Amino acid sequence: MYTVRKKYRPYISPFDPCKPMVIKTYETPPQLYLGFQPYNLPQFQPHEALRLGTLWPALYAPYTNPYEDCDRGDD
Amino acid sequence: MWIYEKKLQYPVRVNKCDPNMAKFLIEQYGGADGELAAALRYMNQRYTVPDKVIGILNDIGTEEFAHLEMIATMVYKLTKDATAEQMKEAGLGGHYANHDKALFYHNAAGSPWTATYIQAKGDPIADLYEDIAAEEKARATYQWLINMTDDVDLIDSLSFLREREIVHSQRFREAVEILKADREQKKIF
């Protein structure tokens, strides 16, 4: 499934000083994939677009704090 | 020339008294990937890019100034009622000693803004690639700022600004595509 947040499992050393983060994440928002924006894509309603920051659902990629559901070693 | 509309591009509400957050937000004010650097970068580069993409730099550069105002408003709201002691506790003692509550173009670590943050190479592809990178770095900064606060109103404004970085990146990427395309050339096979 396509997602704008990619995950990977970094190497964890037995000698790491802090409790390891088992899963690390990074963002890959839609502009990386869209290329030249095609004509006639669906649009948000104007009032909604002004609130969201884009007219185009194809470019809308909300962000949340990844640490809030981050994995701290008991995975 | 510009026409100034005396309101913010997007409302800025700050819910929580957290002067410490102002110290971090200032990164996006006077930092290397901040709104000032972005605005000045595009406004300067626009003279020497091909005609077809001048407008993109002009419009996005103008919008960056609107974003600068929003960040300024956040910083101002977070610090205006802080005492000298609270400024000190928030890690803004150095700032206070120099500037009182005045805003200044420096980054979160206190380094003043410098023109060496931006570039104008004169090569349209090099300049647009820098602009795309700048948008992605600003987007990342907004992510790190969002991660550091639990003020939902502040997150709301920062999320709007982050989404604009995505749209700007997309438009710069399209500008590159415009310059790559040879639509006007007649091909004879």
Side-chain angles (χ1 to χ4, degrees), chain B residues 13-80:
Chain B
R13 296 277 297 268
V14 180
N15 220 327
K16 192 177 148 197
C17 178
D18 181 11
N20 193 222
M21 194 58 199
K23 183 178 164 64
F24 304 137
L25 285 168
I26 209 90
E27 182 67 32
Q28 209 48 12
Y29 192 65
D33 309 313
E35 302 293 353
L36 180 73
L40 296 182
R41 180 187 292 114
Y42 308 150
M43 285 300 172
N44 181 253
Q45 287 177 356
R46 68 188 163 149
Y47 292 96
T48 49
V49 291
D51 293 359
K52 281 179 185 172
V53 301
I54 293 173
I56 295 172
L57 284 160
N58 191 67
D59 291 358
I60 294 180
T62 300
E63 189 179 342
E64 304 296 1
F65 281 122
H67 295 173
L68 189 69
E69 273 190 322
M70 287 177 61
I71 299 292
T73 304
M74 293 174 197
V75 172
Y76 170 70
K77 281 175 179 253
L78 284 164
T79 53
K80 74 184 177 78

Side-chain angles (χ1 to χ4, degrees), chain B residues 124-143:
Chain B
I125 299 300
D127 283 345
L128 284 169
Y129 273 39
E130 183 197 338
D131 301 342
I132 292 166
E135 295 294 337
E136 302 300 350
K137 287 188 277 182
R139 170 183 58 75
T141 307
Y142 282 120
Q143 290 168 193

Side-chain angles (χ1 to χ4, degrees), chain A residues 5 25 27 63-71, chain B residues 143-144 147:
Chain A
R5 177 167 293 165
T25 65
E27 305 297 308
Y63 176 81
T64 54
N65 184 347
Y67 295 109
E68 270 164 17
D69 45 33
C70 110
D71 214 324
Chain B
Q143 290 168 193
W144 314 155
N147 293 353

Side-chain angles (χ1 to χ4, degrees), chain B residues 90-159:
Chain B
L92 288 165
H95 181 99
Y96 183 78
N98 195 354
H99 307 288
D100 190 302
K101 264 69 148 315
L103 281 78
F104 193 67
Y105 294 115
H106 56 64
N107 69 8
S111 301
W113 190 88
T114 157
T116 54
Y117 286 160
I118 63 176
Q119 192 38 287
K121 192 47 71 179
D123 178 276
I125 299 300
D127 283 345
L128 284 169
Y129 273 39
E130 183 197 338
D131 301 342
I132 292 166
E135 295 294 337
E136 302 300 350
K137 287 188 277 182
R139 170 183 58 75
T141 307
Y142 282 120
Q143 290 168 193
W144 314 155
L145 290 170
I146 288 168
N147 293 353
M148 281 191 290
T149 181
D150 58 359
D151 181 333
V152 288
D153 287 336
L154 199 56
I155 288 175
D156 185 59
S157 301
L158 292 172
S159 298

